[in-house]
Amino acid sequence: MNALHLTTERLVQLRSDARLERETIMEHLVRDGEDPAIAYAETPEVDDFVVRALRDEMLEDRGLLAEFGLARLAARAGGSDARIHQQNADRVEFELLREIAASAPPLTVAVWRAGQELQVHGD
C-alpha cells in the first residue's frame, strides 16, 4: 500500500487548484441566478475539495477507484445488497480519510466533515 506523503508545497498547490474550482462553481451558481450568499454557504470549503482529490488519488494509486465507484453506485441503486456495498465503501473511505488526517493535520477538520456521514460501525 502506498503511504500518503504530502509536502507543504504540494498542499499549497492542491489548495490553489481547489480554490479555483470552488470559485468557478460559485460563479456558475451565481450566473444561474443563485443568491451569492447561498452559493457561498452551500459550496464546499477549499480543504473539502483537497480531501476529495487526495482520497480519489489514493484510490487510484491503490487500484481501487473503479471498485469504490461501483460500490457507491450499487449502494445508491437500492438492491438487496445495497447496505453491504454502502458499509464496505464507507469503511474504505474512512481508512483513507484517517490516513489523510494523519499525514496532513491542517486538513483534519475537512476530513471530519468528509467522514461525518460515513457508517463504519455495524448495526
Side-chain angles (χ1 to χ4, degrees):
M1 175 165 37
N2 302 338
L4 178 63
H5 178 69
L6 190 61
T7 64
T8 301
E9 295 78 20
R10 178 121 192 279
L11 181 57
V12 167
Q13 182 60 51
L14 287 168
R15 282 178 166 162
S16 175
D17 293 346
R19 190 171 294 104
L20 178 61
E21 184 175 0
R22 184 174 195 270
E23 290 169 359
T24 301
I25 290 169
M26 286 190 303
E27 180 179 351
H28 177 74
L29 291 171
V30 171
R31 286 180 185 257
D32 280 352
E34 184 79 46
D35 180 305
I38 292 172
Y40 182 84
E42 292 182 350
T43 304
E45 298 293 325
V46 168
D47 281 352
D48 297 336
F49 284 103
V50 172
V51 167
R52 288 180 198 160
L54 288 170
R55 180 206 61 195
D56 291 347
E57 180 182 298
M58 292 166 71
L59 285 166
E60 187 172 0
D61 287 349
R62 295 165 190 195
L64 298 173
L65 188 59
E67 184 179 348
F68 179 80
L70 289 172
R72 287 286 185 222
L73 285 173
R76 280 193 289 253
S80 60
D81 56 355
R83 184 174 175 173
I84 293 169
H85 289 296
Q86 179 73 41
Q87 288 173 338
N88 289 338
D90 283 355
R91 277 190 214 101
V92 168
E93 186 167 1
F94 180 77
E95 290 304 318
L96 294 173
L97 292 174
R98 284 181 50 183
E99 191 174 332
I100 292 168
S103 298
L107 297 175
T108 300
V109 173
V111 166
W112 288 345
R113 283 193 296 264
Q116 69 186 4
E117 300 297 321
L118 299 178
Q119 301 294 318
V120 293
H121 302 290
D123 295 323

